[in-house]
Amino acid sequence: MSSIPSNSRWPARLDLLQSASGLALALFMWVHMFLVSSILISNDAMYAVAKLFEGYYVFGRSYPWLVSAAAAAILVLIMLHAALALRKFPQSTRQYQLFLGHKNRMHHPDTTLWWWQVVTGFLLFFLAPMHLFGMFSQPDQIGPYASSYRVYSTHWPLYLILLFAVELHGAIGLYRLAIKWLSFPTMPVPVMRKRLSLLKWGMSAFFIILGLCTLLAYYRLGSTLQDQPGERYHPVTQSQCPTNSEVLS
Ligand code: HEM
């Protein structure tokens, strides 16, 4: 296999692509978490968000395949990001031993954070596609009742682990991007690191608490639907809603 010349720009280009895809996924997750937590406002709010993503307010009717397309696009972006990130994983037992030895000797916060990046990234390899396939294959099964019943009956363990993995991975990723690409000429580096680290933990705490409250809201609503698993939510103001033939969920 031809080795890449030492002055090749490809490693740097791939690093930039990894940072850009990571930034896009982290920002997507922020928007996603706010949209999913609309259930905390009301069932009507979550219903409106689901209809928005089905294109109802643009095309006057629902096209659930738009959600499938979004899920497929996010999956492709995750696969690109994961493939680029695999370059950074230790590649042999020896490399793992060397890294873990270094981490345990140094106790350097950013080295430990990188290890958590690897562990949460590894978990996301397997857990994110499980959720995305559900969204891709059953895009019409999103709504206050359909989502709540899914969370209550099957998905809450997946979402609980996924929530911690993605929020920690995203916040650590944004912190490392800020350290790597941003500069604050007037601020001494140790002060900058400390403030960025505080911001990182603040973001993680905020999104994990929001995610846990949201998950609990779906779970509790789902527990009231045990006997009517196929029940679909229809907002009170039926007149503003699309007719049954236009609404799938
Ligand atoms: C376009 C892609 C996506 C769509 C359409 C989507 C949609 C949804 C919906 C509707 C829910 C509410 C529960 C349900 O209906 O089952 C949900 C929950 C959740 N999603 Fe996604 N999702 C997407 C991508 C992702 C990705 C990439 C991740 C993480 C890697 C993720 C992590 C989660 C988590 C952790 C929850 C539980 C929310 C909570 O903890 O309160 N989602 N998603």
Side-chain angles (χ1 to χ4, degrees), residues 27-68:
L27 296 179
F28 165 82
M29 282 315 300
W30 281 4
V31 174
H32 166 281
M33 203 42 80
F34 282 119
L35 294 173
V36 168
S37 65
S38 56
I39 195 79
L40 295 174
I41 299 169
S42 67
N43 293 353
D44 283 358
M46 199 272 173
Y47 180 86
V49 168
K51 292 297 133 211
L52 175 73
F53 274 84
E54 290 175 1
Y56 179 74
Y57 300 113
V58 178
F59 307 111
R61 61 161 299 170
S62 289
Y63 295 100
W65 62 263
L66 289 170
V67 175
S68 302

Side-chain angles (χ1 to χ4, degrees), residues 81-157:
H81 183 71
L84 293 165
L86 276 173
R87 298 167 309 136
K88 309 283 178 167
F89 274 49
Q91 302 295 320
S92 65
T93 313
R94 181 94 191 104
Q95 285 187 1
Y96 272 102
Q97 284 168 335
L98 283 174
F99 172 78
L100 292 173
H102 171 75
K103 177 177 82 69
N104 298 336
R105 259 193 317 281
M106 300 288 290
H107 294 296
H108 185 276
D110 287 9
T111 307
T112 307
L113 279 180
W114 187 80
W115 177 240
W116 280 112
Q117 204 64 345
V118 170
V119 172
T120 52
F122 184 78
L123 281 175
L124 289 172
F125 283 164
F126 303 97
L127 301 179
M130 291 182 195
H131 170 48
L132 284 168
F133 183 71
M135 295 298 122
F136 176 82
S137 58
Q138 299 179 315
D140 56 336
Q141 304 295 318
I142 297 174
Y145 287 2
S147 294
S148 297
Y149 187 75
R150 178 176 33 249
V151 169
Y152 173 77
S153 58
T154 50
H155 278 51
W156 67 265

